[in-house]
């Protein structure tokens, strides 16, 4: 076993510790991997620091970096089946979803390969002929990249591709639950010719293996995707050395349906919005906010269809969605639903584990709908990160917007209506980083992704996703220097 990648070498954890990785669908052992301690992490940070300070990588040609990203994309295409299978075994998600993820990941690498040279700087007209003034973009330095378990390699690609495009070095720490595709990615980066020390991989638990990533003075930027509590801890820890911090946190995303929406499409997407990947999606449309006049009939039909959702293992072609990621996570979702019921929500379907004995060994939970919810309830304010839809009613456009914005989160949301003016008005008033009008979930690497309010700071993807990994420097060049005699020049 040698699953850590530090300074261009595959190595084992210094203290010899390991962790078993098990498939959430049936508990089967997938692999046993090295478990890093802070000692390994500090080694990885030192390697990234040396590569940044003493190698040619940060000043390498942007075309060379772009070629490397294209080679990684090619390798991901060649090895798509292996990568998708590894992602599916770690997460329990359906194979077809992991295959879509790999296509998206390839798109992200190709996007940053082709935009790496964009917006490299500008010339400033100072109004003085003796001055050449320009603004240039430079890499930030050593980047700590910390990723979650729900879209392990996709979230990683949103960080690794722009970090490398901009000329940074990095230490990557994937979720301890889902390390397999990060290992495969590092192999592909190595094969594509990434110089030693530029990319480093550590595996292990957040506070131990991950701890030094936000405290060590050798790290310049922490880019973190995960839960809001962890995000707060990382931000506070990073403050001591004033690191740059980029946070992609949770969401409790409103899906607003007006009475004049295309009913068939709105219904269909209301299900996909919340139940895709069993709700383990940061932008899941977990808050249905539906116009009073259609609410009862709309929810009745939703319940009818949610009851028919087929749960199953990742390789079951009939399955529509899979298990939750761990026993502990399922218990959290169960406690969340129990809280909602205690607060007065009405359970319309789900709210239990499936009784199918074939699913006994996995961490499955039935798609659940909680009706009659109100803004103040914890099920409205907290993220469940599971297959749980809450339903609220609204009566006016203002009421819909106010209800949707009544949240500490602001990641994403949707509005369904056939009235284009109303759609635009609501979209512009929603305090979220992504709004879908008559759609749910699509994203493209060309467009920024990120959260308002406590859903995060900064943006991934798009031009801003590259800027996150660049410093801005102003260079002032006096081509005809002459003494000024400001001080001590008098008679
Ligand atoms: P998490 O916060 O528990 O863990 C995320 C990562 O942080 C893991 O790698 C973990 O090991 C690490 N970590 C934990 N404590 C740490 C510490 N003290 N120092 C350094 N690293 C530490 O989140 P999770 O359960 O893996 O993921 C689910 C959360 O991620 C949800 O809240 C979801 O909304 C969010 N998420 C957000 C986005 C987005 O784009 N905004 C995307 C995916 C997931």
């Amino acid at each position: 076993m040698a699953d850590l990648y530090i300074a261009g070498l595959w190595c084992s954890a210094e203290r010899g510790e390991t962790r078993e990785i098990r498939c959430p669908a049936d508990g089967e052992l997938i692999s046993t991997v090295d478990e890093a301690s802070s000692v390994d992490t500090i080694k990885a940070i030192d390697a990234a620091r040396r590569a940044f300070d003493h190698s040619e990588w940060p000043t390498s040609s942007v075309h060379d970096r772009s070629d490397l990203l294209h080679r990684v994309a090619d390798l991901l295409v060649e090895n798509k089946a292996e990568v998708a299978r590894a992602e599916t075994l770690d997460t329990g998600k359906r194979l077809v979803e992991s295959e879509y993820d790999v296509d998206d990941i390839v798109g992200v690498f190709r996007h940053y390969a082709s935009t790496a040279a964009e917006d490299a700087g500008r010339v400033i007209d100072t109004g003085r002929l003796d001055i050449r003034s320009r603004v240039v973009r430079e890499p930030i330095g050593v980047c700590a990249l910390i990723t979650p378990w729900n879209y392990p390699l996709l979230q990683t690609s949103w960080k690794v591709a722009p970090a490398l495009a901009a000329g940074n070095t990095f230490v990557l720490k994937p979720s301890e639950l889902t390390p397999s595709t990060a290992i495969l990615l590092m192999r592909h980066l190595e094969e594509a010719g990434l110089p030693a020390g530029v990319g480093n991989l550590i595996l292990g638990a957040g506070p131990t293996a991950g701890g030094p990533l936000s405290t060590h003075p050798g790290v310049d930027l922490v880019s973190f995707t995960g839960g809001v509590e962890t995000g707060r801890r990382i931000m506070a820890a990073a403050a001591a050395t004033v690191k740059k911090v980029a946070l992609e946190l949770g969401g409790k995303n409103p899906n607003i349906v007006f009475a004049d929406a295309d009913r068939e499409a709105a219904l269909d997407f209301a299900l996909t919005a919340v139940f895709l990947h069993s709700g383990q999606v940061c932008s899941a449309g977990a808050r249905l906010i539906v116009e009073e006049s259609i609410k009862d009939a709309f929810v009745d039909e939703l319940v009818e269809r949610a009851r028919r959702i087929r749960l199953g293992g990742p390789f079951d072609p009939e399955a529509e969605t899979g298990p939750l990621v761990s026993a502990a996570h399922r218990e959290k979702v169960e406690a969340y639903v129990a809280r909602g019921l205690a607060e007065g929500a009405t359970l319309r379907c789900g709210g239990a584990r499936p009784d199918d004995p074939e699913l006994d060994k996995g961490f499955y939970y039935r798609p659940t709908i909680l009706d009659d919810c109100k803004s103040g309830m914890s099920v409205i304010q907290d993220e469940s990160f599971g297959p749980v839809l809450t339903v609220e009613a609204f009566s006016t456009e203002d009421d819909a917007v106010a209800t949707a914005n009544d949240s500490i989160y602001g990641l994403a949301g949707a509005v369904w209506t056939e009235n284009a003016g109303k759609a635009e008005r609501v979209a512009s008033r929603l305090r979220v980083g992504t709004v879908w009008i008559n759609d749910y979930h699509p994203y493209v690497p060309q467009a920024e992704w990120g959260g308002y309010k406590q859903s995060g700071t900064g943006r991934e993807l798009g031009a801003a996703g590259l800027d996150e990994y660049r410093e801005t420097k102003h260079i002032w060049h006096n081509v005809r220097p002459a003494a000024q005699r400001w001080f001590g020049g008098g008679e």
Side-chain angles (χ1 to χ4, degrees), residues 147-149 173 175-176 224-227 230 249-250 282 383 385 449:
T147 53
W149 47 259
K173 196 207 86 62
S175 165
E176 58 275 31
F224 167 80
T225 302
T230 318
L249 308 177
C282 54
E383 184 186 44
F385 220 53
W449 178 268

Side-chain angles (χ1 to χ4, degrees), residues 255-259 261-271 288-305 348 369 371 389 391 416:
N255 185 18
I256 303 172
V257 180
F258 282 92
D262 177 324
R263 190 189 166 91
E264 188 54 35
L267 242 156
D268 194 63
F269 275 86
L271 294 164
L288 178 67
I289 301 176
V290 56
E291 192 159 353
E292 185 89 68
S293 59
I294 60 160
K295 195 204 97 173
D296 287 346
F298 193 87
V299 175
D300 284 351
E301 211 172 320
L302 215 53
V303 167
E304 190 51 39
R305 281 184 60 177
R348 295 293 309 273
I369 297 181
D371 201 353
L389 180 69
V391 183
W416 292 83

Side-chain angles (χ1 to χ4, degrees), residues 29 32 36-37 66 88 91 123 143 156 179 197 229 240 261 264 278 282 321 342 393 413 430 437 441 446 457-458 480:
L29 183 67
T32 303
S37 66
S66 176
T88 272
T91 59
V123 171
C143 302
T156 298
E229 277 304 328
E264 188 54 35
S278 293
C282 54
T321 191
L430 288 179
I437 298 175
H441 278 319
Q446 300 93 312
T457 61
R480 204 174 297 137

